[in-house]
Structures are given as C-alpha cells and as structure tokens.
Amino acid sequence: MSIRIGILGYGNLGRGIECAIKQNTDMELAAVFTRRDPSGVTIQTEGVPVCSVSEAKDWKDKIDVMILCGGSATDLPEQTPEYARMFNVIDSFDTHARIPEHYANVDAAAKEGNKIGIISVGWDPGMFSLNRLYANAILPDGKDYTFWGKGVSQGHSDAIRRVEGVKDAKQYTIPVDTALEAVRNGENPELTTRQKHTRECFVVLEEGADAAKVEEEIKTMPNYFSDYDTTVHFISEEELKRDHSGIPHGGFVLRSGKTGWNGENSHLIEYSLKLDSNPEFTSSVLVAYARAAYRLSQEGQSGCRTVFDIAPAYLSAKSGEELRRTML
Amino acid sequence: MSIRIGILGYGNLGRGIECAIKQNTDMELAAVFTRRDPSGVTIQTEGVPVCSVSEAKDWKDKIDVMILCGGSATDLPEQTPEYARMFNVIDSFDTHARIPEHYANVDAAAKEGNKIGIISVGWDPGMFSLNRLYANAILPDGKDYTFWGKGVSQGHSDAIRRVEGVKDAKQYTIPVDTALEAVRNGENPELTTRQKHTRECFVVLEEGADAAKVEEEIKTMPNYFSDYDTTVHFISEEELKRDHSGIPHGGFVLRSGKTGWNGENSHLIEYSLKLDSNPEFTSSVLVAYARAAYRLSQEGQSGCRTVFDIAPAYLSAKSGEELRRTML
C-alpha cells in the first residue's frame, strides 16, 4: 500500500511536493488543502481533490503524513502543533533562533495525538545541519564554515521591492570565491560578513524614478545590504522576466579540522548543493522525511523529531538488506 | 563517567584511534590489545596498559566499546563476530561485496552476546555511503558518481612492490578533472574506468633493474593498472621517503538529479573529503560511532548496525537540546 500524503498550502513548496510525490512510487497524493477557495485552485495530479483547510480533520484516517507548506514567520508556529494532534506532520520551519520553542510545542502536541512531527526539514535547516553535525562529531578540533548561494534570497528581493521607485527586483546572494578557496586551503580564516558573501540586485524602476537614489537606498539598507558589497543593475521588466524568473539556490558547508597526536594532520570535509529550484529541492527532502515519519509512526513512536534524530535508512524506499548490498 | 575504549590492533589505524580518543573528552583509552608480544609495543598514552589479545576476555567489564583495527581480508571476518559476543564492537570492514555476509555473522554474534556491533565504519564505506543514501533518497531520478583521490592506494602500492626489480613504491589514485567537471555541469556523462581516474606511481628500483621493463610490467598489470592511464616516475629511496611518506586520501561523491513535473530542474549534491591522513580520518569516524555503540547498548539494544541505521545525534557528545540550538 502506498503512503498517503496530504499537502497543506499550495504555493511554490506545495507544488514542489506534488512533483516529488510523482517521483516516489511508494507514495500517493491523497489531497491538497488550501486556505483559499478550493474551487479556484487547480493542481496537476489528476483525480486528487483540493479541499478547504477546514475539512482537514475529516481526513484523519485517509492521510498518513501531512506536509505543511506554510511560512515560518506566522503559519508554521500555529499550524504544526495544531495538525500534529491529528496527523503525522513534516514542516520546513527555518527560523533558526526559534527552533527550540517550536520543537517543544510540536513535541507536546504530537505526543498528545500519538503522532510523529518532524520539523525544520529541507537543506538549511536540514541537509546542511546534518553535515555540520557529522563533520563536528568526526573532527572535534576544527572550524565550521557555511556559505550560501549563488541563489535568490526572497527576503532581500522583497526588501528591495519596498524601496520607493522600485517596480520589481530580484536579489542574488553570492559566496566570495577567494574566501571559499582560503577555507579549502586549510587557512582557517576568520571571515567578516562582507568577506563571505556579495549581493547582486536586478532592479526594475518605476517610470521616472531616480536610479541613483534607489541604488544608494538599497546599498545602505541596514541588516539587508549595508554590511555587504552590493551591486545594483537596472534592467527592464522584460529582462527580469526573461533572465531572472527562476529560484535557484545552493551553498557550501565546510569543516576543516586537525588530527594526530599533536594535531599535525589537516582534513577538509565539504558538502555543497547547486539547485535549479530551491522550493523543489526542499520539497524533495520533505518527501523523503515523510517516508521516515510514516515508518516511525508505524513503529508506534510519537513526538517531535529533527533530521538529527532519524536514522538515514528510514529515508529510503529500499530495504536495509538492499541498502547494505548496493550503497554501503 | 567516560566511555572506556579498547583498541585491538596497534597499526596505523590503532594509532589513529589513540589520537582521536585524546580529542574526545567523554572518552578514555582503557587498554590496547596486540597479537605481538605486548612488551615490544609502546603506545603514546601514559598509564594505559598494552595487553595480549589472549587477555581480552578478562576486560569484558572494563571496556565499553572495543574498536577492531585489523584488516578486512582475513582479520575482521573472524574477529568482529568473535569479539561481538563479549564487547560492543566497531570495525572498518571495507570489502564491499562481502558486507551482507559479514553483517549476518556479526548480527548473530552480537545478539548472542547482547551487544552492539557496528560494521564498515569509515569514509568508504562510511561517510561516502551515507551521502549516497541521503542523495538517492532526496533525488530518486538521478545518477551517482564516486571519485577517489588524490590519495595513496595501499593495494596498488603493494602490487608494484611485487614487480621484479622494484625496491619500494607508492601509488596515487587521481580523479580526472574533466570528468568531475562534466558531472558538476550536469552533463550526466557515462564514464569508463579510464575516464574517471589516472594512476601515478613513484618507484624505487633495485640496483641494476631494467626501468623500461618495470614500467611496462606495471602499466600492463591486469585489474590494477591495465584499464587506467598510468604514469611511472623513477625516484631515489631518499626522495620516496622525503616526498611520499604521507598517507593522504579523499574523494568525491556526487549525485545529479532532476525535479519538477517534467524533470525540468536539475540539482547537484556533492560531498568531498581532502584528507592528510587516511587512517587518522577513518579513526575519527570510528571513534564517533563508538559513542553511538555505547549509547545504543545503554538503551538495551543489540545486534549489528551500519552507518545507515544510526541517527546522527548518537555521534555527537552534545545533547539533543544543544544540537538543535547550535547546529540545526
């Protein structure tokens, strides 16, 4: 029998989940839940209903894992505990500072419902976190580096759009090659914010806007841009649509460390991602962990989990015997 | 209380374990066991006894995890099941084709002894295997690539030393840059053995040996060299000692895959290691998994495990709460 997946929230992430389910033959999409009017939402999978979130509770016995595709700012802190009382749930909660609080809330709710809730799944938090943990456990005497990009930062793009005179914009976060190379060479550099990443902005101006003023306002924006070397390009609306409509991202997690009786040997562990579509890759990670949630629940487990708590074999559709034979 | 570790076999790997224990404050070295005359073996840790393997059984209650540092060809197939009846054990068994058989033997023995046995720990098998599994679970529609090097292959160095006229030799396995780049560019190349790696040999000749004949014999050696582009350098014994006494290694695990309703987006996951000392890095992985073995045993679990079966958090000395707060 297939693992029956529900999608709650049909934005970029929800659509990515739908695609990922299609790639996993042990899963099927049971239903999509939306806060919008369901009659206005068209999905790609034939024969699968789109329902109002208010109907979700009626699906308790027809869905094995509900994947929550809301935002971390306001949706997930409410939704994940709420739905963990009824369903095994997965989310991609990514407000790093609030993870302990979110964990506690989901843990209590999931235990109450005798369900599994896996939080903060994706690539950062998610695969990057896993690589930080493995690398730290292996090389206790070392130094961690995380670089993001080249990729689109939604938050920074939004910040530019709020500048007066800006019609539309896209911002790319770009790791600085020389900094990456210094880390790879085992130089253990101390890197400032400015030394690690640059920011590149593609901006469409409103008719008659003052380009110099917009550029100045972007480059000096506190928190978002003032600590970085920022480049601003003014382009037409057509160019933005043609050249910058994708949502690529990626990055690098590195740890350099020493071993030996006197720390005489150096080692470098590097993990990197180069992603055409940030939401589709995140979705693919979420779906693999949905399989784990289902299995943990079948074993009678309940409560909150993170990627740290889940043995890798739970993510794969293959049996333990097959994994040992083909991948070990 | 510290986790008390025993080392069985004091070669390169055993010495690496000793160094790694020193870096982990929640562990202590309890004893080293050797098949040699213990009086002839000097270790670096003060106040720790060197014992004969025949005494190991007397240490059943004084060692939490025994790390087995023998070879995969003949030592570990015997040793790991034997000691898993008495101790929680870890090994670095790396004969990929015989892993299922080894797993079954260790599983039966460890269950009999109510102990945990973790096999095939290191980087390949080990960290590379983990990365293959994670990447495959995330991107079901994709292609795997593993490259090894630049690094010393002990097996190939030994093969050269068996050639008549060779006094000593060191062989490096080197990944082909253009092949790596083609994978990184998402070209999904089909690569032959020759296209993936080259082999570079540094050879010290016996007095009066025929260099041309030795070179020909190396380059045409079946299994070891005939399928590769091989370079042979003749150097002096002093040069070999001065420039080639290290045991560096490393490599790359990549998976490229597609997502999207029609596979329209491409992704690349890459994991790489650059290691000054192959045995010391392997040791560092073994010691992290020794922590996991201890904890699993404390929970009352028994039987054989691989890296696939162990939740990442078990490897870290930090608590779950601290890991979520600092690394997620």
Side-chain angles (χ1 to χ4, degrees):
Chain A
M1 209 190 71
S2 291
I3 303 171
R4 299 164 303 176
I5 307 287
I7 296 174
L8 200 149
Y10 196 67
N12 282 334
L13 197 60
R15 282 194 293 271
I17 302 287
E18 186 182 17
C19 296
I21 291 169
K22 190 184 166 198
Q23 290 187 322
N24 286 279
T25 52
D26 61 338
M27 299 187 177
E28 61 182 87
L29 179 59
V32 171
F33 299 90
T34 178
R35 284 181 293 197
R36 293 175 268 170
D37 175 358
S39 69
V41 175
T42 307
I43 67 168
Q44 305 216 60
T45 314
E46 274 178 46
V48 170
V50 179
C51 310
S52 163
V53 284
S54 62
E55 298 168 57
K57 60 185 177 305
D58 305 330
W59 286 77
K60 279 177 66 167
D61 302 321
K62 288 178 280 189
I63 283 175
D64 296 310
V65 184
M66 185 74 93
I67 303 183
L68 304 173
C69 300
S72 295
T74 55
D75 299 336
L76 296 175
E78 300 286 329
Q79 286 178 350
T80 314
E82 179 187 347
Y83 288 95
R85 287 189 189 89
M86 292 184 272
F87 298 96
N88 298 310
V89 296
I90 315 271
D91 77 21
S92 59
F93 185 77
D94 65 0
T95 312
H96 292 260
R98 294 186 63 193
I99 286 173
E101 175 192 345
H102 189 54
Y103 180 91
N105 293 339
V106 175
D107 194 50
K111 280 178 177 153
E112 208 182 299
N114 197 30
K115 298 293 180 186
I116 286 286
I118 311 182
I119 63 163
S120 302
V121 175
W123 58 275
D124 196 1
M127 297 312 297
F128 274 18
S129 323
L130 275 179
N131 276 281
R132 287 189 279 264
L133 192 164
Y134 278 119
N136 272 270
I138 295 169
L139 296 175
D141 179 12
K143 203 160 157 40
D144 291 305
Y145 296 89
T146 302
F147 292 84
W148 294 273
K150 179 183 179 177
V152 172
S153 164
Q154 216 55 61
H156 288 79
S157 301
D158 291 344
I160 300 173
R161 284 189 208 102
R162 288 190 296 265
V163 172
E164 206 191 308
V166 171
K167 189 168 185 188
D168 204 352
K170 210 83 178 242
Q171 192 268 182
Y172 296 90
T173 305
I174 304 168
V176 174
D177 271 339
T178 52
L180 251 174
E181 283 313 309
V183 173
R184 287 189 182 127
N185 292 339
E187 297 169 22
N188 284 333
E190 293 289 338
L191 298 166
T192 63
T193 300
R194 193 178 298 275
Q195 286 169 326
K196 285 184 72 184
H197 298 94
T198 56
R199 299 198 176 279
E200 190 169 23
C201 312
F202 293 87
V203 178
V204 181
L205 290 173
E206 302 274 13
E207 189 96 13
D210 179 344
K213 190 162 163 281
V214 166
E215 180 166 346
E216 177 66 11
E217 199 168 328
I218 292 170
K219 287 185 170 177
T220 57
M221 198 186 297
N223 301 318
Y224 286 93
F225 293 99
S226 62
D227 294 339
Y228 298 85
D229 290 336
T230 301
T231 314
V232 178
H233 306 279
F234 294 103
I235 60 174
S236 69
E237 199 159 10
E238 293 67 40
E239 287 169 317
L240 190 78
K241 190 170 280 179
R242 189 190 65 203
D243 302 332
H244 304 284
S245 60
I247 319 175
H249 220 312
F252 305 80
V253 173
L254 305 103
R255 185 169 175 85
S256 62
K258 297 198 171 297
T259 65
W261 195 251
N262 297 305
E264 58 273 28
N265 287 312
S266 294
H267 306 277
L268 182 75
I269 304 174
E270 177 171 348
Y271 179 80
S272 69
L273 296 173
K274 206 173 118 196
L275 313 175
D276 271 1
S277 165
N278 183 354
E280 286 183 7
F281 187 82
T282 301
S283 297
S284 297
V285 182
L286 282 160
V287 164
Y289 277 93
R291 181 179 290 117
Y294 172 73
R295 290 175 175 176
L296 292 169
S297 177
Q298 290 287 102
E299 290 177 3
Q301 297 194 41
S302 68
C304 191
R305 301 286 187 279
T306 75
V307 295
F308 295 161
D309 308 310
I310 295 171
Y314 282 97
L315 308 189
S316 172
K318 295 182 173 166
S319 70
E321 190 274 330
E322 196 179 352
L323 289 175
R324 286 189 291 276
R325 195 164 42 76
T326 61
M327 286 197 197
L328 198 58
Chain B
M1 209 191 72
S2 292
I3 304 170
R4 300 164 300 177
I5 307 287
I7 296 174
L8 200 149
Y10 196 67
N12 283 333
L13 196 60
R15 283 193 293 271
I17 301 286
E18 185 181 19
C19 296
I21 291 169
K22 191 184 167 200
Q23 290 186 322
N24 287 279
T25 53
D26 61 338
M27 299 186 179
E28 61 182 87
L29 180 59
V32 170
F33 300 89
T34 177
R35 286 180 293 198
R36 293 175 270 172
D37 175 359
S39 69
V41 175
T42 307
I43 67 170
Q44 305 215 60
T45 314
E46 274 178 45
V48 169
V50 179
C51 309
S52 163
V53 286
S54 62
E55 298 169 56
K57 60 184 178 306
D58 304 330
W59 286 78
K60 276 178 67 166
D61 302 321
K62 288 179 279 188
I63 283 175
D64 295 311
V65 184
M66 185 75 92
I67 303 183
L68 304 173
C69 301
S72 295
T74 55
D75 297 336
L76 297 175
E78 300 286 329
Q79 286 178 350
T80 314
E82 179 187 347
Y83 288 95
R85 288 190 189 87
M86 292 183 274
F87 298 96
N88 297 311
V89 295
I90 315 270
D91 77 22
S92 59
F93 185 77
D94 66 358
T95 312
H96 292 260
R98 293 185 63 193
I99 285 174
E101 173 192 346
H102 189 54
Y103 180 91
N105 293 339
V106 175
D107 193 50
K111 280 178 177 154
E112 207 183 299
N114 197 30
K115 299 292 180 187
I116 287 284
I118 311 183
I119 62 162
S120 301
V121 174
W123 59 275
D124 197 2
M127 298 312 296
F128 275 17
S129 322
L130 275 179
N131 277 280
R132 286 188 281 262
L133 192 164
Y134 278 119
N136 272 269
I138 294 169
L139 296 174
D141 179 12
K143 202 160 157 42
D144 290 306
Y145 296 89
T146 302
F147 292 84
W148 293 273
K150 182 182 176 177
V152 171
S153 165
Q154 217 52 62
H156 288 80
S157 301
D158 290 345
I160 300 172
R161 283 189 209 103
R162 288 190 295 264
V163 172
E164 206 190 310
V166 171
K167 189 168 184 188
D168 203 352
K170 208 83 176 243
Q171 192 268 184
Y172 296 90
T173 306
I174 304 169
V176 174
D177 271 339
T178 52
L180 250 174
E181 283 313 309
V183 173
R184 287 190 182 126
N185 291 339
E187 297 170 24
N188 285 333
E190 293 289 338
L191 297 166
T192 62
T193 299
R194 191 177 301 274
Q195 287 169 326
K196 286 184 71 184
H197 297 93
T198 56
R199 299 199 175 278
E200 190 169 22
C201 312
F202 293 87
V203 178
V204 180
L205 291 173
E206 301 276 12
E207 188 97 13
D210 178 345
K213 190 162 163 281
V214 166
E215 181 167 346
E216 176 66 13
E217 199 169 328
I218 291 171
K219 288 185 170 179
T220 56
M221 198 186 295
N223 302 317
Y224 286 93
F225 293 99
S226 62
D227 296 335
Y228 298 86
D229 290 337
T230 301
T231 315
V232 179
H233 307 278
F234 294 103
I235 60 175
S236 71
E237 199 159 11
E238 293 66 40
E239 287 169 316
L240 190 79
K241 191 171 279 178
R242 188 190 65 204
D243 302 332
H244 303 283
S245 60
I247 320 176
H249 221 312
F252 304 80
V253 173
L254 306 103
R255 184 168 176 87
S256 61
K258 297 196 171 297
T259 64
W261 195 251
N262 297 305
E264 58 273 28
N265 287 311
S266 294
H267 306 277
L268 182 76
I269 304 174
E270 177 170 346
Y271 179 80
S272 68
L273 296 172
K274 206 173 119 196
L275 314 174
D276 270 2
S277 165
N278 183 355
E280 285 183 8
F281 187 82
T282 300
S283 297
S284 296
V285 181
L286 282 160
V287 164
Y289 277 94
R291 181 179 290 117
Y294 172 73
R295 291 175 173 174
L296 292 168
S297 177
Q298 290 287 102
E299 290 177 4
Q301 296 195 41
S302 67
C304 190
R305 300 285 186 280
T306 74
V307 294
F308 295 160
D309 308 311
I310 294 170
Y314 282 97
L315 307 189
S316 172
K318 294 184 174 165
S319 70
E321 191 274 330
E322 196 179 353
L323 288 176
R324 286 188 291 276
R325 194 165 41 75
T326 62
M327 286 198 199
L328 197 60

